[in-house]
């Protein structure tokens, strides 16, 4: 019988991406080509049946792929997103509901403490509890020389990627029950930082420290804390980063697989970490990088 497993070098788009530019936050319908979130490919097997999840930055990119996968595995899904991302959020939640699960849109900015904490309360009120917290919201921008790093941009990176993450996790943690899972979207930048993303890379390294420290505390109450570290993944965040045509044309080409990844290629890792099959995995950082080493 022939092997139906696709060649990972060309399982998805194996050429570069066209020149394009958009403002943060990036939007799916302005991203060319549109990322693959697993809309047509992800098949669930009941691995998260009856679970209740909150995903920050769940409207597009990796967050959307995770929302689709979680719903098709049997979880109800709440997504936190910026107000200007409402159309993307609506599209994501339509897919969640098509899977027969509850979906909840939470519009706001995780840099605001009241919103970062209220999303936990609102999810629990809507779903009757919270079992899976995916801390995925992120901001990055290209820096043309360290001397050009603007304080306002740096603060937005720190407040989105670190402060908002900690505020939401702190609100959720005390009432998480044994078997609950916290999953952070870190990055290969945590260990292989690029000068043009220096502030973003700093936050991703700090997220790894957060995961390892909270996993130590969470273990005693049966709460697992892990991270996924993506490599170059084609999401709306990429054309909204400020890179030129050459950078987009070669995006992901330096990986051993020779191409950028798609959000759909990360979804299974989040499902694994959220499910009972990873019951002995905590404090881990799992690389999904096309072969680039952490």
């Amino acid at each position: 019988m022939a092997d139906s497993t696709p060649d990972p070098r060309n399982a998805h788009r194996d050429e570069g991406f066209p020149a394009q530019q958009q403002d943060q936050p990036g939007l799916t319908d302005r991203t060319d080509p549109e990322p693959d979130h697993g809309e047509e490919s992800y098949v669930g097997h009941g691995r998260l049946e009856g679970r209740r999840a909150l995903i920050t930055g769940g409207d597009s990119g990796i967050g959307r792929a995770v929302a689709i996968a979680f719903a098709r595995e049997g979880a109800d899904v709440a997504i936190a997103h910026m107000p200007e991302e409402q159309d993307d959020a609506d599209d994501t939640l339509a897919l969640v509901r098509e899977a027969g699960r509850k979906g909840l849109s939470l519009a706001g900015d995780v840099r605001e403490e009241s919103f970062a904490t209220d999303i936990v309360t609102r999810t629990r009120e809507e779903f009757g509890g919270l079992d899976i917290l995916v801390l995925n919201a992120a901001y990055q921008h290209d820096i043309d020389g360290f001397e050009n790093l603007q304080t306002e941009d740096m603060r937005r990176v720190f407040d989105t990627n670190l402060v908002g993450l900690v505020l939401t996790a702190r609100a959720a943690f005390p009432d998480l029950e044994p078997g609950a899972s916290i999953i952070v979207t870190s990055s290969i930048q945590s260990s292989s930082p690029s000068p043009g993303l220096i502030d973003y890379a700093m936050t991703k390294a700090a997220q790894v420290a957060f995961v390892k420290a909270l996993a130590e505390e969470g273990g005693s109450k049966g709460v697992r804390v892990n991270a996924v570290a993506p490599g170059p993944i084609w999401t709306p965040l990429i054309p909204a980063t400020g890179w030129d045509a050459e950078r987009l044309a070669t995006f992901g080409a330096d990986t051993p697989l020779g191409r950028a990844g798609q959000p759909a290629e990360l979804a299974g890792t989040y499902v694994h970490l959220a499910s009972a099959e990873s019951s002995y995995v905590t404090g881990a950082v799992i690389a999904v990088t096309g072969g680039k080493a952490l």
Side-chain angles (χ1 to χ4, degrees):
M1 183 176 179
D3 186 357
S4 60
T5 304
D7 184 335
R9 296 169 298 175
N10 52 32
H12 290 268
R13 182 186 179 93
D14 56 6
E15 64 266 27
F17 299 92
Q20 56 196 289
Q21 181 68 52
Q22 54 177 304
D23 295 328
Q24 293 271 4
L27 302 176
T28 302
D29 63 3
R30 293 187 57 198
T31 305
D32 179 28
E34 188 168 311
D36 178 4
H37 308 94
E39 292 94 338
E40 304 299 327
S41 60
Y42 193 92
V43 178
H45 299 282
R47 294 152 77 192
L48 302 176
E49 194 67 39
R51 307 285 277 176
R52 298 147 306 183
L54 168 60
I55 305 168
T56 65
D59 56 289
S60 65
I62 295 170
R64 176 182 288 188
V66 174
I68 292 170
F70 279 9
R72 292 181 184 175
E73 294 289 355
D76 295 330
V77 180
I79 60 172
H81 57 88
M82 300 286 281
E84 53 266 48
E85 298 170 313
Q86 189 65 56
D87 286 347
D88 273 352
D90 291 343
D91 290 344
T92 299
L93 291 176
L95 291 162
V96 168
R97 292 172 182 133
E98 283 177 14
R101 306 310 307 179
K102 293 180 182 177
L104 177 63
S105 166
L106 301 165
D109 192 329
V110 295
R111 292 177 292 171
E112 298 173 4
E113 183 169 0
S114 60
F115 178 74
T117 57
D118 285 351
I119 57 177
V120 173
T121 302
R122 293 172 62 189
T123 299
R124 285 180 165 142
E125 289 174 347
E126 181 72 17
F127 296 160
L130 176 63
D131 307 297
I132 306 164
L133 176 61
V134 179
L135 299 165
N136 173 73
Y139 175 73
Q140 71 178 32
H141 61 105
D142 184 49
I143 306 163
D144 185 19
F146 181 59
E147 68 278 10
N148 296 315
L149 174 60
Q150 301 298 308
T151 302
E152 181 179 359
D153 292 336
M154 177 182 66
R155 289 191 185 281
R156 181 173 179 181
V157 171
F158 288 172
D159 287 347
T160 302
N161 301 0
L162 282 181
V163 178
L165 176 148
V166 171
L167 293 173
T168 299
R170 187 182 65 186
F173 187 73
D175 295 320
L176 291 176
E177 297 182 354
S181 178
I182 297 175
I183 307 170
V184 173
T185 301
S186 184
S187 170
I188 193 170
Q189 290 288 324
S190 65
S191 61
S192 300
S194 301
L197 295 173
I198 187 169
D199 51 352
Y200 176 83
M202 291 166 65
T203 65
K204 293 300 170 176
Q207 287 176 354
V208 171
F210 167 86
V211 163
K212 292 181 179 296
L214 193 59
E216 287 278 351
E217 183 171 350
S220 64
K221 57 183 290 184
V223 174
R224 296 182 298 106
V225 187
N226 295 289
V228 178
I233 307 297
W234 182 245
T235 73
L237 184 66
I238 301 307
T241 295
W243 286 327
D244 60 20
E246 180 181 358
R247 182 66 183 273
L248 291 176
T250 60
F251 182 64
D254 62 342
T255 66
L257 290 180
R259 64 172 178 87
Q262 292 289 330
E265 297 181 277
L266 288 103
T269 302
Y270 286 82
V271 170
H272 170 70
L273 289 174
S275 70
E277 66 194 41
S278 63
S279 57
Y280 202 56
V281 179
T282 194
V285 181
I286 298 182
V288 187
T289 61
K292 298 188 79 170
L294 287 183

